[in-house]
Amino acid sequence: MNSEEKFENEVLSKIPLRNEPFLPNNWLHLEMLERFRLSQFAGIKEGMNILEIGCGAHAIATVPLAYMVGETGRVIAVDLARGTYFEEIVKSAGPWRRVIPMKVDAQNLPFPFKSFDLAVLIHGIRSLRNEETIVNVKVISEMLRVADEIFIAESLPIAKTKGQEAHLEMYNLREGIFEALYGRKDDLHYFPLEKLIEFVEKAGGEIKEYGTFEPNLPHLLAYIPREYIEKIRDTKKRERLLKKWESAYEKLQKYGAEHPPVGWIKAKEKIEKSLGSFPKFSYCNSYNQEDKSYYR
């Protein structure tokens, strides 16, 4: 039994299927499996002390991280909001004793010095609402300050299949819908890998390694119900977004939603670079479902 099969057997099988509108009942398992595959690039070892930024309500990355650090490791999972289902999900998965949830603003972490082997921000850049929050030595610079290394990963605006195109078309509506409804952006459009690297460097990070990989899994969380758009008061915005939504929904129905490629970055706090020091690029072309291996 390989590591992924063990994770599915020992962890995912214990998490009850979800009954939530517009999503298949195994959506949480699929999302956690993607985080598990992605985290293989983070260099996580048993016994590590990890800080997770933006753990969210469903502990989607928390559970794989807690599994990977083992009995002697710890995951400090922080978020601004208290996770609605967080405790229930982590307890059902098993590694609750390895997880310490904290309600904390990631722009001002309460750790006075380097306290972690690794700080991770997985599929969270898009939720920081604007580039200024990302770049202005706020979240990423705080991660660099308190951890020996950081790992940042985010979906990329790349579509190689019809399913990826359908996902991106629906996902790209979210930023405009939230802004029209609430007057503020959320779920920003995915950034290119080059832009993610720029964010890290502007925050004072030195890139150690970066790359991309194909999850080869569905990505179901782009969908946003039509009812959200119907609540928009501005008639022109509502009609424009409804037209785009209908086109995106038709493609989702026809092709499904496939996860786009994911970009990932490993970095540390910047120090004097010696001549001839360059970051290493790693490209994972595909994930082999049969033997659970990555082709680079």
Short mmCIF file of all heavy atoms in Angstrom, two decimals, residues 155-194:
data_model
loop_
_atom_site.label_atom_id
_atom_site.label_comp_id
_atom_site.label_asym_id
_atom_site.label_seq_id
_atom_site.Cartn_x
_atom_site.Cartn_y
_atom_site.Cartn_z
N SER A 155 -3.83 27.60 -7.45
CA SER A 155 -4.24 27.24 -8.80
C SER A 155 -3.78 28.31 -9.77
O SER A 155 -3.69 29.50 -9.43
CB SER A 155 -5.76 27.10 -8.87
OG SER A 155 -6.21 26.08 -8.00
N LEU A 156 -3.49 27.91 -10.99
CA LEU A 156 -2.99 28.82 -12.02
C LEU A 156 -4.07 29.06 -13.07
O LEU A 156 -4.92 28.20 -13.31
CB LEU A 156 -1.75 28.22 -12.69
CG LEU A 156 -0.56 27.95 -11.76
CD1 LEU A 156 0.57 27.25 -12.54
CD2 LEU A 156 -0.03 29.23 -11.13
N PRO A 157 -4.04 30.23 -13.74
CA PRO A 157 -5.05 30.54 -14.77
C PRO A 157 -4.71 29.88 -16.10
O PRO A 157 -4.56 30.54 -17.13
CB PRO A 157 -4.96 32.07 -14.85
CG PRO A 157 -3.54 32.37 -14.53
CD PRO A 157 -3.12 31.35 -13.50
N ILE A 158 -4.59 28.56 -16.07
CA ILE A 158 -4.20 27.78 -17.25
C ILE A 158 -5.23 26.68 -17.47
O ILE A 158 -5.61 25.99 -16.53
CB ILE A 158 -2.80 27.14 -17.04
CG1 ILE A 158 -1.73 28.22 -16.87
CG2 ILE A 158 -2.45 26.21 -18.19
CD1 ILE A 158 -0.38 27.66 -16.44
N ALA A 159 -5.67 26.55 -18.71
CA ALA A 159 -6.61 25.48 -19.06
C ALA A 159 -6.06 24.69 -20.23
O ALA A 159 -5.80 25.25 -21.29
CB ALA A 159 -7.97 26.07 -19.40
N LYS A 160 -5.89 23.39 -20.02
CA LYS A 160 -5.41 22.51 -21.08
C LYS A 160 -6.52 21.57 -21.57
O LYS A 160 -6.34 20.87 -22.55
CB LYS A 160 -4.22 21.68 -20.57
CG LYS A 160 -3.03 22.52 -20.13
CD LYS A 160 -1.92 21.64 -19.60
CE LYS A 160 -0.74 22.46 -19.13
NZ LYS A 160 0.35 21.61 -18.58
N THR A 161 -7.62 21.54 -20.83
CA THR A 161 -8.74 20.67 -21.19
C THR A 161 -10.04 21.46 -21.11
O THR A 161 -10.10 22.55 -20.51
CB THR A 161 -8.85 19.47 -20.22
OG1 THR A 161 -9.24 19.96 -18.92
CG2 THR A 161 -7.52 18.73 -20.11
N LYS A 162 -11.10 20.90 -21.68
CA LYS A 162 -12.41 21.55 -21.64
C LYS A 162 -12.93 21.64 -20.20
O LYS A 162 -13.58 22.61 -19.82
CB LYS A 162 -13.41 20.77 -22.50
CG LYS A 162 -13.11 20.81 -23.99
CD LYS A 162 -13.32 22.21 -24.56
CE LYS A 162 -13.17 22.21 -26.07
NZ LYS A 162 -13.34 23.59 -26.63
N GLY A 163 -12.61 20.63 -19.40
CA GLY A 163 -13.04 20.66 -18.00
C GLY A 163 -12.36 21.76 -17.21
O GLY A 163 -12.96 22.40 -16.35
N GLN A 164 -11.07 22.00 -17.50
CA GLN A 164 -10.35 23.10 -16.85
C GLN A 164 -10.88 24.45 -17.32
O GLN A 164 -11.00 25.39 -16.53
CB GLN A 164 -8.86 22.97 -17.12
CG GLN A 164 -8.22 21.79 -16.40
CD GLN A 164 -6.76 21.57 -16.77
OE1 GLN A 164 -6.27 22.09 -17.78
NE2 GLN A 164 -6.06 20.78 -15.98
N GLU A 165 -11.21 24.55 -18.60
CA GLU A 165 -11.81 25.78 -19.12
C GLU A 165 -13.13 26.08 -18.42
O GLU A 165 -13.42 27.23 -18.06
CB GLU A 165 -12.05 25.66 -20.62
CG GLU A 165 -10.80 25.77 -21.49
CD GLU A 165 -11.12 25.65 -22.97
OE1 GLU A 165 -12.32 25.71 -23.33
OE2 GLU A 165 -10.18 25.48 -23.76
N ALA A 166 -13.95 25.03 -18.24
CA ALA A 166 -15.25 25.21 -17.59
C ALA A 166 -15.06 25.69 -16.15
O ALA A 166 -15.77 26.58 -15.67
CB ALA A 166 -16.02 23.90 -17.62
N HIS A 167 -14.09 25.08 -15.44
CA HIS A 167 -13.81 25.50 -14.07
C HIS A 167 -13.41 26.97 -14.03
O HIS A 167 -13.94 27.75 -13.23
CB HIS A 167 -12.70 24.66 -13.46
CG HIS A 167 -12.15 25.23 -12.19
ND1 HIS A 167 -12.72 24.99 -10.95
CD2 HIS A 167 -11.10 26.08 -11.95
CE1 HIS A 167 -12.06 25.65 -10.03
NE2 HIS A 167 -11.07 26.31 -10.60
N LEU A 168 -12.47 27.36 -14.88
CA LEU A 168 -11.97 28.74 -14.86
C LEU A 168 -13.06 29.74 -15.22
O LEU A 168 -13.14 30.82 -14.62
CB LEU A 168 -10.79 28.88 -15.83
CG LEU A 168 -9.48 28.25 -15.38
CD1 LEU A 168 -8.43 28.34 -16.50
CD2 LEU A 168 -8.93 28.91 -14.13
N GLU A 169 -13.91 29.39 -16.19
CA GLU A 169 -14.95 30.33 -16.60
C GLU A 169 -15.93 30.59 -15.46
O GLU A 169 -16.34 31.73 -15.23
CB GLU A 169 -15.69 29.78 -17.83
CG GLU A 169 -16.62 30.81 -18.45
CD GLU A 169 -17.12 30.41 -19.82
OE1 GLU A 169 -16.38 29.73 -20.57
OE2 GLU A 169 -18.26 30.78 -20.16
N MET A 170 -16.29 29.54 -14.72
CA MET A 170 -17.19 29.74 -13.59
C MET A 170 -16.46 30.43 -12.44
O MET A 170 -16.99 31.37 -11.83
CB MET A 170 -17.75 28.39 -13.12
CG MET A 170 -18.70 28.48 -11.92
SD MET A 170 -20.20 29.48 -12.21
CE MET A 170 -21.21 28.34 -13.16
N TYR A 171 -15.25 29.99 -12.13
CA TYR A 171 -14.52 30.59 -11.01
C TYR A 171 -14.30 32.08 -11.22
O TYR A 171 -14.42 32.88 -10.28
CB TYR A 171 -13.16 29.90 -10.81
CG TYR A 171 -12.35 30.58 -9.73
CD1 TYR A 171 -12.61 30.33 -8.38
CD2 TYR A 171 -11.39 31.54 -10.05
CE1 TYR A 171 -11.92 31.01 -7.39
CE2 TYR A 171 -10.69 32.21 -9.06
CZ TYR A 171 -10.96 31.95 -7.73
OH TYR A 171 -10.28 32.63 -6.75
N ASN A 172 -13.98 32.49 -12.44
CA ASN A 172 -13.66 33.90 -12.72
C ASN A 172 -14.85 34.84 -12.54
O ASN A 172 -14.67 36.06 -12.53
CB ASN A 172 -13.08 34.05 -14.12
CG ASN A 172 -11.64 33.57 -14.21
OD1 ASN A 172 -10.95 33.48 -13.20
ND2 ASN A 172 -11.18 33.25 -15.41
N LEU A 173 -16.04 34.30 -12.37
CA LEU A 173 -17.20 35.13 -12.08
C LEU A 173 -17.27 35.53 -10.61
O LEU A 173 -17.91 36.52 -10.26
CB LEU A 173 -18.49 34.38 -12.45
CG LEU A 173 -18.70 34.08 -13.94
CD1 LEU A 173 -19.95 33.23 -14.12
CD2 LEU A 173 -18.83 35.38 -14.72
N ARG A 174 -16.62 34.79 -9.75
CA ARG A 174 -16.80 34.96 -8.31
C ARG A 174 -16.33 36.34 -7.83
O ARG A 174 -17.01 36.99 -7.03
CB ARG A 174 -16.07 33.85 -7.55
CG ARG A 174 -16.60 32.46 -7.85
CD ARG A 174 -15.82 31.38 -7.12
NE ARG A 174 -16.06 31.38 -5.70
CZ ARG A 174 -17.03 30.70 -5.09
NH1 ARG A 174 -17.84 29.93 -5.79
NH2 ARG A 174 -17.18 30.75 -3.78
N GLU A 175 -15.18 36.79 -8.30
CA GLU A 175 -14.66 38.08 -7.85
C GLU A 175 -15.64 39.21 -8.15
O GLU A 175 -15.95 40.04 -7.29
CB GLU A 175 -13.32 38.36 -8.54
CG GLU A 175 -12.68 39.67 -8.11
CD GLU A 175 -11.33 39.92 -8.80
OE1 GLU A 175 -10.58 38.94 -9.00
OE2 GLU A 175 -11.05 41.09 -9.13
N GLY A 176 -16.17 39.24 -9.38
CA GLY A 176 -17.11 40.29 -9.77
C GLY A 176 -18.44 40.19 -9.04
O GLY A 176 -19.05 41.21 -8.69
N ILE A 177 -18.90 38.96 -8.81
CA ILE A 177 -20.17 38.77 -8.10
C ILE A 177 -20.07 39.26 -6.65
O ILE A 177 -20.94 39.99 -6.16
CB ILE A 177 -20.59 37.28 -8.14
CG1 ILE A 177 -20.98 36.88 -9.56
CG2 ILE A 177 -21.76 37.03 -7.18
CD1 ILE A 177 -21.16 35.39 -9.76
N PHE A 178 -18.99 38.88 -5.97
CA PHE A 178 -18.83 39.31 -4.57
C PHE A 178 -18.66 40.83 -4.48
O PHE A 178 -19.20 41.46 -3.55
CB PHE A 178 -17.63 38.61 -3.94
CG PHE A 178 -17.86 37.15 -3.66
CD1 PHE A 178 -16.93 36.19 -4.02
CD2 PHE A 178 -19.03 36.72 -3.04
CE1 PHE A 178 -17.15 34.85 -3.76
CE2 PHE A 178 -19.26 35.37 -2.78
CZ PHE A 178 -18.32 34.44 -3.15
N GLU A 179 -17.94 41.41 -5.43
CA GLU A 179 -17.76 42.86 -5.40
C GLU A 179 -19.09 43.59 -5.63
O GLU A 179 -19.40 44.59 -4.98
CB GLU A 179 -16.72 43.28 -6.45
CG GLU A 179 -16.31 44.74 -6.32
CD GLU A 179 -15.11 45.07 -7.19
OE1 GLU A 179 -14.82 44.34 -8.15
OE2 GLU A 179 -14.46 46.10 -6.89
N ALA A 180 -19.89 43.07 -6.57
CA ALA A 180 -21.19 43.69 -6.85
C ALA A 180 -22.15 43.54 -5.68
O ALA A 180 -22.96 44.43 -5.39
CB ALA A 180 -21.79 43.08 -8.11
N LEU A 181 -22.07 42.42 -4.96
CA LEU A 181 -22.98 42.17 -3.85
C LEU A 181 -22.57 42.87 -2.56
O LEU A 181 -23.41 43.46 -1.86
CB LEU A 181 -23.05 40.66 -3.57
CG LEU A 181 -24.04 39.83 -4.37
CD1 LEU A 181 -23.86 38.36 -4.05
CD2 LEU A 181 -25.48 40.26 -4.11
N TYR A 182 -21.26 42.80 -2.25
CA TYR A 182 -20.80 43.23 -0.92
C TYR A 182 -19.87 44.45 -0.95
O TYR A 182 -19.44 44.92 0.09
CB TYR A 182 -20.08 42.07 -0.23
CG TYR A 182 -20.90 40.80 -0.21
CD1 TYR A 182 -20.42 39.63 -0.81
CD2 TYR A 182 -22.16 40.76 0.40
CE1 TYR A 182 -21.17 38.45 -0.80
CE2 TYR A 182 -22.91 39.59 0.41
CZ TYR A 182 -22.42 38.44 -0.19
OH TYR A 182 -23.16 37.30 -0.18
N GLY A 183 -19.52 44.91 -2.15
CA GLY A 183 -18.66 46.09 -2.25
C GLY A 183 -17.20 45.81 -1.99
O GLY A 183 -16.40 46.73 -1.82
N ARG A 184 -16.81 44.55 -1.95
CA ARG A 184 -15.40 44.19 -1.76
C ARG A 184 -15.09 42.91 -2.53
O ARG A 184 -15.97 42.07 -2.74
CB ARG A 184 -15.07 43.98 -0.28
CG ARG A 184 -15.91 42.92 0.40
CD ARG A 184 -15.42 42.61 1.80
NE ARG A 184 -16.27 41.69 2.51
CZ ARG A 184 -16.33 40.38 2.31
NH1 ARG A 184 -15.56 39.83 1.38
NH2 ARG A 184 -17.13 39.60 3.01
N LYS A 185 -13.85 42.80 -2.94
CA LYS A 185 -13.45 41.63 -3.71
C LYS A 185 -13.21 40.44 -2.79
O LYS A 185 -12.83 40.59 -1.64
CB LYS A 185 -12.16 41.93 -4.49
CG LYS A 185 -12.33 42.96 -5.59
CD LYS A 185 -11.01 43.17 -6.32
CE LYS A 185 -11.14 44.19 -7.43
NZ LYS A 185 -9.86 44.38 -8.15
N ASP A 186 -13.43 39.27 -3.35
CA ASP A 186 -13.05 38.02 -2.69
C ASP A 186 -12.88 36.99 -3.79
O ASP A 186 -13.38 37.17 -4.91
CB ASP A 186 -14.11 37.58 -1.69
CG ASP A 186 -13.55 36.65 -0.62
OD1 ASP A 186 -12.41 36.19 -0.80
OD2 ASP A 186 -14.25 36.39 0.37
N ASP A 187 -12.18 35.90 -3.49
CA ASP A 187 -11.88 34.90 -4.51
C ASP A 187 -11.32 35.57 -5.76
O ASP A 187 -11.91 35.51 -6.84
CB ASP A 187 -13.13 34.08 -4.85
CG ASP A 187 -13.42 33.02 -3.80
OD1 ASP A 187 -12.57 32.80 -2.94
OD2 ASP A 187 -14.52 32.42 -3.84
N LEU A 188 -10.16 36.20 -5.58
CA LEU A 188 -9.50 36.88 -6.70
C LEU A 188 -9.21 35.90 -7.83
O LEU A 188 -9.08 34.70 -7.61
CB LEU A 188 -8.17 37.48 -6.22
CG LEU A 188 -8.20 38.46 -5.05
CD1 LEU A 188 -6.80 38.96 -4.77
CD2 LEU A 188 -9.14 39.62 -5.33
N HIS A 189 -9.12 36.42 -9.04
CA HIS A 189 -8.71 35.59 -10.16
C HIS A 189 -7.35 34.96 -9.85
O HIS A 189 -6.50 35.57 -9.20
CB HIS A 189 -8.59 36.43 -11.43
CG HIS A 189 -9.91 36.93 -11.93
ND1 HIS A 189 -10.04 37.78 -13.00
CD2 HIS A 189 -11.19 36.71 -11.49
CE1 HIS A 189 -11.31 38.06 -13.20
NE2 HIS A 189 -12.02 37.42 -12.30
N TYR A 190 -7.15 33.74 -10.33
CA TYR A 190 -5.88 33.06 -10.10
C TYR A 190 -4.73 33.87 -10.71
O TYR A 190 -4.86 34.44 -11.80
CB TYR A 190 -5.89 31.68 -10.74
CG TYR A 190 -6.93 30.73 -10.21
CD1 TYR A 190 -7.63 29.88 -11.08
CD2 TYR A 190 -7.23 30.66 -8.85
CE1 TYR A 190 -8.57 28.98 -10.61
CE2 TYR A 190 -8.18 29.77 -8.37
CZ TYR A 190 -8.85 28.93 -9.26
OH TYR A 190 -9.79 28.06 -8.79
N PHE A 191 -3.60 33.89 -10.00
CA PHE A 191 -2.42 34.61 -10.48
C PHE A 191 -1.48 33.66 -11.22
O PHE A 191 -1.36 32.48 -10.86
CB PHE A 191 -1.65 35.22 -9.30
CG PHE A 191 -2.41 36.28 -8.56
CD1 PHE A 191 -3.01 36.00 -7.33
CD2 PHE A 191 -2.54 37.55 -9.07
CE1 PHE A 191 -3.71 36.96 -6.64
CE2 PHE A 191 -3.24 38.54 -8.38
CZ PHE A 191 -3.82 38.24 -7.16
N PRO A 192 -0.77 34.14 -12.24
CA PRO A 192 0.28 33.32 -12.87
C PRO A 192 1.38 33.01 -11.86
O PRO A 192 1.58 33.75 -10.88
CB PRO A 192 0.81 34.22 -14.00
CG PRO A 192 -0.20 35.30 -14.17
CD PRO A 192 -0.89 35.47 -12.85
N LEU A 193 2.12 31.95 -12.11
CA LEU A 193 3.20 31.55 -11.21
C LEU A 193 4.23 32.67 -11.06
O LEU A 193 4.75 32.91 -9.96
CB LEU A 193 3.88 30.28 -11.73
CG LEU A 193 5.03 29.72 -10.88
CD1 LEU A 193 4.60 29.43 -9.45
CD2 LEU A 193 5.58 28.44 -11.53
N GLU A 194 4.51 33.38 -12.15
CA GLU A 194 5.48 34.48 -12.10
C GLU A 194 5.04 35.56 -11.11
O GLU A 194 5.87 36.16 -10.42
CB GLU A 194 5.67 35.10 -13.49
CG GLU A 194 6.28 34.17 -14.53
CD GLU A 194 5.31 33.16 -15.08
OE1 GLU A 194 4.08 33.30 -14.85
OE2 GLU A 194 5.77 32.20 -15.75
#
